[in-house]
PDB file of all heavy atoms in Angstrom:
ATOM      1  N   LYS A   2      38.231  12.904 -33.785  1.00 95.00           N
ATOM      2  CA  LYS A   2      38.324  13.960 -32.809  1.00 95.00           C
ATOM      3  C   LYS A   2      39.578  13.897 -31.967  1.00 95.00           C
ATOM      4  O   LYS A   2      39.796  12.750 -31.393  1.00 95.00           O
ATOM      5  CB  LYS A   2      37.133  13.890 -31.874  1.00 95.00           C
ATOM      6  CG  LYS A   2      35.858  14.494 -32.535  1.00 95.00           C
ATOM      7  CD  LYS A   2      34.553  14.151 -31.692  1.00 95.00           C
ATOM      8  CE  LYS A   2      34.585  14.873 -30.337  1.00 95.00           C
ATOM      9  NZ  LYS A   2      33.317  14.698 -29.680  1.00 95.00           N
ATOM     10  N   THR A   3      40.307  15.011 -31.792  1.00 97.00           N
ATOM     11  CA  THR A   3      41.480  15.038 -31.050  1.00 97.00           C
ATOM     12  C   THR A   3      41.424  16.215 -30.141  1.00 97.00           C
ATOM     13  O   THR A   3      41.068  17.174 -30.429  1.00 97.00           O
ATOM     14  CB  THR A   3      42.723  15.297 -32.038  1.00 97.00           C
ATOM     15  OG1 THR A   3      42.687  14.239 -33.018  1.00 97.00           O
ATOM     16  CG2 THR A   3      43.988  15.222 -31.147  1.00 97.00           C
ATOM     17  N   THR A   5      42.757  19.299 -28.045  1.00 98.00           N
ATOM     18  CA  THR A   5      43.750  20.310 -28.428  1.00 98.00           C
ATOM     19  C   THR A   5      43.951  21.298 -27.292  1.00 98.00           C
ATOM     20  O   THR A   5      42.924  21.617 -26.581  1.00 98.00           O
ATOM     21  CB  THR A   5      43.279  21.106 -29.701  1.00 98.00           C
ATOM     22  OG1 THR A   5      43.137  20.194 -30.763  1.00 98.00           O
ATOM     23  CG2 THR A   5      44.403  22.111 -30.182  1.00 98.00           C
ATOM     24  N   ASP A   7      45.178  25.039 -26.128  1.00 98.00           N
ATOM     25  CA  ASP A   7      45.620  26.387 -26.556  1.00 98.00           C
ATOM     26  C   ASP A   7      46.703  26.815 -25.522  1.00 98.00           C
ATOM     27  O   ASP A   7      46.455  27.342 -24.436  1.00 98.00           O
ATOM     28  CB  ASP A   7      44.464  27.355 -26.461  1.00 98.00           C
ATOM     29  CG  ASP A   7      44.863  28.777 -26.971  1.00 98.00           C
ATOM     30  OD1 ASP A   7      46.127  29.037 -27.064  1.00 98.00           O
ATOM     31  OD2 ASP A   7      44.001  29.618 -27.085  1.00 98.00           O
ATOM     32  N   SER A   9      48.728  29.274 -25.443  1.00 98.00           N
ATOM     33  CA  SER A   9      48.759  30.624 -25.186  1.00 98.00           C
ATOM     34  C   SER A   9      47.951  30.976 -23.862  1.00 98.00           C
ATOM     35  O   SER A   9      48.149  32.029 -23.287  1.00 98.00           O
ATOM     36  CB  SER A   9      48.374  31.509 -26.287  1.00 98.00           C
ATOM     37  OG  SER A   9      46.899  31.393 -26.579  1.00 98.00           O
ATOM     38  N   SER A  13      49.592  25.755 -17.105  1.00 96.00           N
ATOM     39  CA  SER A  13      50.364  24.576 -16.673  1.00 96.00           C
ATOM     40  C   SER A  13      49.974  24.184 -15.224  1.00 96.00           C
ATOM     41  O   SER A  13      50.786  23.748 -14.370  1.00 96.00           O
ATOM     42  CB  SER A  13      51.854  24.828 -16.598  1.00 96.00           C
ATOM     43  OG  SER A  13      52.239  25.159 -18.020  1.00 96.00           O
ATOM     44  N   ALA A  16      45.864  20.229 -13.970  1.00 98.00           N
ATOM     45  CA  ALA A  16      44.550  19.682 -13.648  1.00 98.00           C
ATOM     46  C   ALA A  16      44.278  18.545 -14.677  1.00 98.00           C
ATOM     47  O   ALA A  16      43.707  17.441 -14.327  1.00 98.00           O
ATOM     48  CB  ALA A  16      43.472  20.693 -13.648  1.00 98.00           C
ATOM     49  N   THR A  18      46.380  16.777 -16.481  1.00 98.00           N
ATOM     50  CA  THR A  18      47.310  15.651 -16.454  1.00 98.00           C
ATOM     51  C   THR A  18      46.955  14.816 -15.194  1.00 98.00           C
ATOM     52  O   THR A  18      47.230  13.544 -15.185  1.00 98.00           O
ATOM     53  CB  THR A  18      48.862  16.175 -16.391  1.00 98.00           C
ATOM     54  OG1 THR A  18      49.084  16.964 -15.195  1.00 98.00           O
ATOM     55  CG2 THR A  18      49.281  16.877 -17.576  1.00 98.00           C
ATOM     56  N   THR A  19      46.428  15.384 -14.244  1.00 97.00           N
ATOM     57  CA  THR A  19      45.973  14.679 -13.082  1.00 97.00           C
ATOM     58  C   THR A  19      44.704  13.883 -13.387  1.00 97.00           C
ATOM     59  O   THR A  19      44.488  12.708 -12.921  1.00 97.00           O
ATOM     60  CB  THR A  19      45.772  15.605 -11.771  1.00 97.00           C
ATOM     61  OG1 THR A  19      46.863  16.337 -11.560  1.00 97.00           O
ATOM     62  CG2 THR A  19      45.239  14.872 -10.645  1.00 97.00           C
ATOM     63  N   ALA A  20      43.821  14.552 -14.018  1.00 97.00           N
ATOM     64  CA  ALA A  20      42.441  13.950 -14.366  1.00 97.00           C
ATOM     65  C   ALA A  20      42.571  12.839 -15.427  1.00 97.00           C
ATOM     66  O   ALA A  20      41.956  11.771 -15.301  1.00 97.00           O
ATOM     67  CB  ALA A  20      41.442  14.937 -14.916  1.00 97.00           C
ATOM     68  N   HIS A  28      55.269  17.993 -20.756  1.00 95.00           N
ATOM     69  CA  HIS A  28      56.444  17.842 -21.566  1.00 95.00           C
ATOM     70  C   HIS A  28      57.707  18.223 -20.674  1.00 95.00           C
ATOM     71  O   HIS A  28      57.510  19.115 -19.820  1.00 95.00           O
ATOM     72  CB  HIS A  28      56.420  18.763 -22.900  1.00 95.00           C
ATOM     73  CG  HIS A  28      57.434  18.472 -23.792  1.00 95.00           C
ATOM     74  ND1 HIS A  28      58.725  19.133 -23.756  1.00 95.00           N
ATOM     75  CD2 HIS A  28      57.607  17.617 -24.912  1.00 95.00           C
ATOM     76  CE1 HIS A  28      59.441  18.678 -24.680  1.00 95.00           C
ATOM     77  NE2 HIS A  28      58.846  17.851 -25.489  1.00 95.00           N
ATOM     78  N   GLU A  34      51.100  18.530 -23.094  1.00 97.00           N
ATOM     79  CA  GLU A  34      50.976  18.155 -24.489  1.00 97.00           C
ATOM     80  C   GLU A  34      49.990  16.944 -24.491  1.00 97.00           C
ATOM     81  O   GLU A  34      49.693  16.232 -23.434  1.00 97.00           O
ATOM     82  CB  GLU A  34      52.224  17.650 -25.101  1.00 97.00           C
ATOM     83  CG  GLU A  34      52.954  16.493 -24.519  1.00 97.00           C
ATOM     84  CD  GLU A  34      54.291  16.105 -25.109  1.00 97.00           C
ATOM     85  OE1 GLU A  34      54.682  16.625 -26.063  1.00 97.00           O
ATOM     86  OE2 GLU A  34      54.857  15.156 -24.638  1.00 97.00           O
ATOM     87  N   VAL A  35      49.328  16.661 -25.609  1.00 98.00           N
ATOM     88  CA  VAL A  35      48.332  15.611 -25.735  1.00 98.00           C
ATOM     89  C   VAL A  35      49.245  14.279 -26.221  1.00 98.00           C
ATOM     90  O   VAL A  35      50.033  14.530 -27.145  1.00 98.00           O
ATOM     91  CB  VAL A  35      47.349  15.884 -26.753  1.00 98.00           C
ATOM     92  CG1 VAL A  35      46.420  14.763 -27.051  1.00 98.00           C
ATOM     93  CG2 VAL A  35      46.515  17.115 -26.227  1.00 98.00           C
ATOM     94  N   GLN A  38      47.598   9.169 -29.722  1.00 96.00           N
ATOM     95  CA  GLN A  38      46.986   7.796 -29.785  1.00 96.00           C
ATOM     96  C   GLN A  38      45.905   7.739 -30.788  1.00 96.00           C
ATOM     97  O   GLN A  38      45.469   8.736 -31.281  1.00 96.00           O
ATOM     98  CB  GLN A  38      46.520   7.563 -28.368  1.00 96.00           C
ATOM     99  CG  GLN A  38      45.622   8.506 -27.662  1.00 96.00           C
ATOM    100  CD  GLN A  38      45.554   8.314 -26.180  1.00 96.00           C
ATOM    101  OE1 GLN A  38      44.713   7.617 -25.724  1.00 96.00           O
ATOM    102  NE2 GLN A  38      46.285   9.133 -25.486  1.00 96.00           N
ATOM    103  N   GLY A  40      42.849   6.834 -30.679  1.00 96.00           N
ATOM    104  CA  GLY A  40      41.517   7.317 -30.278  1.00 96.00           C
ATOM    105  C   GLY A  40      41.592   7.774 -28.870  1.00 96.00           C
ATOM    106  O   GLY A  40      42.442   7.400 -28.203  1.00 96.00           O
ATOM    107  N   TYR A  41      40.639   8.671 -28.467  1.00 97.00           N
ATOM    108  CA  TYR A  41      40.752   9.282 -27.248  1.00 97.00           C
ATOM    109  C   TYR A  41      39.581   9.063 -26.311  1.00 97.00           C
ATOM    110  O   TYR A  41      38.467   8.933 -26.787  1.00 97.00           O
ATOM    111  CB  TYR A  41      40.939  10.913 -27.285  1.00 97.00           C
ATOM    112  CG  TYR A  41      42.252  11.208 -27.978  1.00 97.00           C
ATOM    113  CD1 TYR A  41      42.398  11.350 -29.393  1.00 97.00           C
ATOM    114  CD2 TYR A  41      43.354  11.315 -27.134  1.00 97.00           C
ATOM    115  CE1 TYR A  41      43.661  11.572 -29.896  1.00 97.00           C
ATOM    116  CE2 TYR A  41      44.653  11.464 -27.656  1.00 97.00           C
ATOM    117  CZ  TYR A  41      44.790  11.773 -29.076  1.00 97.00           C
ATOM    118  OH  TYR A  41      46.000  11.994 -29.674  1.00 97.00           O
ATOM    119  N   GLU A  43      36.796   9.828 -24.620  1.00 97.00           N
ATOM    120  CA  GLU A  43      35.980  11.045 -24.677  1.00 97.00           C
ATOM    121  C   GLU A  43      35.487  11.549 -23.307  1.00 97.00           C
ATOM    122  O   GLU A  43      35.537  12.693 -23.058  1.00 97.00           O
ATOM    123  CB  GLU A  43      34.766  10.732 -25.588  1.00 97.00           C
ATOM    124  CG  GLU A  43      35.088  10.797 -27.093  1.00 97.00           C
ATOM    125  CD  GLU A  43      33.868  11.133 -27.917  1.00 97.00           C
ATOM    126  OE1 GLU A  43      33.029  11.969 -27.498  1.00 97.00           O
ATOM    127  OE2 GLU A  43      33.851  10.720 -29.056  1.00 97.00           O
ATOM    128  N   ALA A  44      35.047  10.615 -22.505  1.00 98.00           N
ATOM    129  CA  ALA A  44      34.545  11.013 -21.162  1.00 98.00           C
ATOM    130  C   ALA A  44      35.662  11.716 -20.439  1.00 98.00           C
ATOM    131  O   ALA A  44      35.333  12.734 -19.703  1.00 98.00           O
ATOM    132  CB  ALA A  44      34.038   9.693 -20.424  1.00 98.00           C
ATOM    133  N   ASN A  47      36.339  15.070 -21.945  1.00 98.00           N
ATOM    134  CA  ASN A  47      35.291  16.040 -21.642  1.00 98.00           C
ATOM    135  C   ASN A  47      35.354  16.505 -20.193  1.00 98.00           C
ATOM    136  O   ASN A  47      35.078  17.680 -19.851  1.00 98.00           O
ATOM    137  CB  ASN A  47      33.828  15.378 -21.821  1.00 98.00           C
ATOM    138  CG  ASN A  47      33.629  15.337 -23.381  1.00 98.00           C
ATOM    139  OD1 ASN A  47      34.160  16.117 -24.160  1.00 98.00           O
ATOM    140  ND2 ASN A  47      32.791  14.435 -23.706  1.00 98.00           N
ATOM    141  N   LEU A  48      35.767  15.740 -19.227  1.00 98.00           N
ATOM    142  CA  LEU A  48      35.964  16.096 -17.887  1.00 98.00           C
ATOM    143  C   LEU A  48      37.092  17.057 -17.766  1.00 98.00           C
ATOM    144  O   LEU A  48      36.904  18.108 -17.087  1.00 98.00           O
ATOM    145  CB  LEU A  48      36.407  14.748 -16.992  1.00 98.00           C
ATOM    146  CG  LEU A  48      36.765  15.181 -15.636  1.00 98.00           C
ATOM    147  CD1 LEU A  48      35.661  15.582 -14.749  1.00 98.00           C
ATOM    148  CD2 LEU A  48      37.363  13.802 -14.996  1.00 98.00           C
ATOM    149  N   THR A  52      36.928  20.957 -16.398  1.00 97.00           N
ATOM    150  CA  THR A  52      37.656  21.412 -15.183  1.00 97.00           C
ATOM    151  C   THR A  52      38.857  22.250 -15.554  1.00 97.00           C
ATOM    152  O   THR A  52      39.394  22.890 -14.583  1.00 97.00           O
ATOM    153  CB  THR A  52      38.039  20.185 -14.353  1.00 97.00           C
ATOM    154  OG1 THR A  52      38.937  19.310 -15.258  1.00 97.00           O
ATOM    155  CG2 THR A  52      36.923  19.304 -13.907  1.00 97.00           C
TER     156      THR A  52
END
Side-chain angles (χ1 to χ4, degrees):
K2 279 169 69 173
T3 305
T5 304
D7 179 353
S9 69
S13 299
T18 60
T19 300
H28 188 276
E34 65 182 358
V35 176
Q38 47 197 282
Y41 292 91
E43 283 204 34
N47 287 335
L48 172 67
T52 56

